[in-house]
Amino acid sequence: QVHLVESGGGSVQAGGSLTLSCAASGATGCLGWFRQAPGREREGVAVAAIDTTWNKTWTVYAESAMGRFTISRDDAKNTGFLQMNNLKPEDTAMYYCAAGPKYACYAQSWSKGAQFGYWGQGTQVLVSS
């Protein structure tokens, strides 16, 4: 059982930045960020796993996040981050941290979130134009 707590959400103007944090109660294989806007389905934003073979962090981003968002993790502190730059009004949503087995980060369907068994309560991001 892994307990996840997000923080860092808030209100910003378009073009601004926010960094979300996800504190986990234990180790996570795949750490992901998802979001859900009112009236829309939940969508994957980014996922990250430690690739022990190459001693690197494996990351995958949704097309909407590429070039603007950066996912990272500090496994020594069981904490994940989502740095969001150049925010747009369409980024407004509840953002959720999720954890799952390592293979979840490598799944072609990662953005559906089905492989993630643990979810936080979410942190709200509001971007005004």
Side-chain angles (χ1 to χ4, degrees):
Q1 187 81 12
V2 177
H3 186 58
L4 304 170
V5 179
E6 303 95 334
S7 61
S11 297
V12 295
Q13 290 191 325
S17 299
L18 282 174
T19 298
L20 306 183
S21 298
C22 173
S25 62
T28 58
C30 179
L31 184 71
W33 287 95
F34 295 77
R35 67 186 183 185
Q36 186 167 20
R40 301 189 63 177
E41 290 188 358
R42 183 184 66 197
E43 61 178 359
V45 177
V47 293
I50 301 299
D51 188 326
T52 55
T53 300
W54 301 102
N55 195 29
K56 292 182 178 180
T57 302
W58 166 269
T59 58
V60 183
Y61 293 90
E63 188 173 341
S64 60
M66 286 182 185
R68 299 188 300 127
F69 295 3
T70 301
I71 187 172
S72 61
R73 48 189 293 166
D74 182 348
D75 283 14
K77 298 180 179 179
N78 287 332
T79 303
F81 304 94
L82 184 68
Q83 170 71 42
M84 304 186 294
N85 297 323
N86 190 23
L87 283 160
K88 305 175 181 180
E90 51 264 42
D91 294 318
T92 294
M94 184 71 80
Y95 283 71
Y96 298 91
C97 175
K102 192 172 181 178
Y103 69 78
C105 276
Y106 298 85
Q108 198 168 17
S109 61
W110 68 269
S111 63
K112 301 294 185 183
Q115 298 91 348
F116 293 80
Y118 304 104
W119 295 82
Q121 293 299 308
T123 185
Q124 181 69 47
V125 172
L126 177 64
V127 185
S128 58
S129 57

